[in-house]
Amino acid sequence: KRSAYAYRKETEYYDAYSKSYFALTEKKKGWDCMRHYEIIASGSMPYYLNPHLVPIQTMHDFPWDIVKRAMALPGVPSQ
């Protein structure tokens, strides 16, 4: 059976984030999940495909201002 994950070891997963400026992310089972914080902790910035779809009551402690400013930097592709 094929795994849903591209990495065999957890360290490979975090290493991939640490080598990237941005990490593409979106809602999977829910908006507020550890993946978004793992991306930041690894030194990358989450890049959301549809940030306007995140309900206001969700992720209220998440650093949206920083993420949105990073997504709007010159040279960063828009959706």
Side-chain angles (χ1 to χ4, degrees), residues 23-40 46-64 67-68 71 79:
L24 189 62
T25 190
E26 61 185 332
K27 179 183 175 188
K28 290 187 180 177
K29 292 185 179 181
W31 281 107
D32 198 7
C33 64
M34 288 302 298
R35 180 179 66 258
H36 303 137
Y37 300 97
E38 291 169 346
I39 291 168
I40 293 171
Y47 188 94
Y48 292 85
L49 292 176
N50 296 302
H52 63 281
L53 296 178
V54 179
I56 294 172
Q57 304 86 356
T58 305
M59 299 174 69
H60 54 84
D61 289 328
F62 190 75
W64 277 112
V67 171
K68 287 180 180 179
M71 289 175 59
Q79 299 180 34

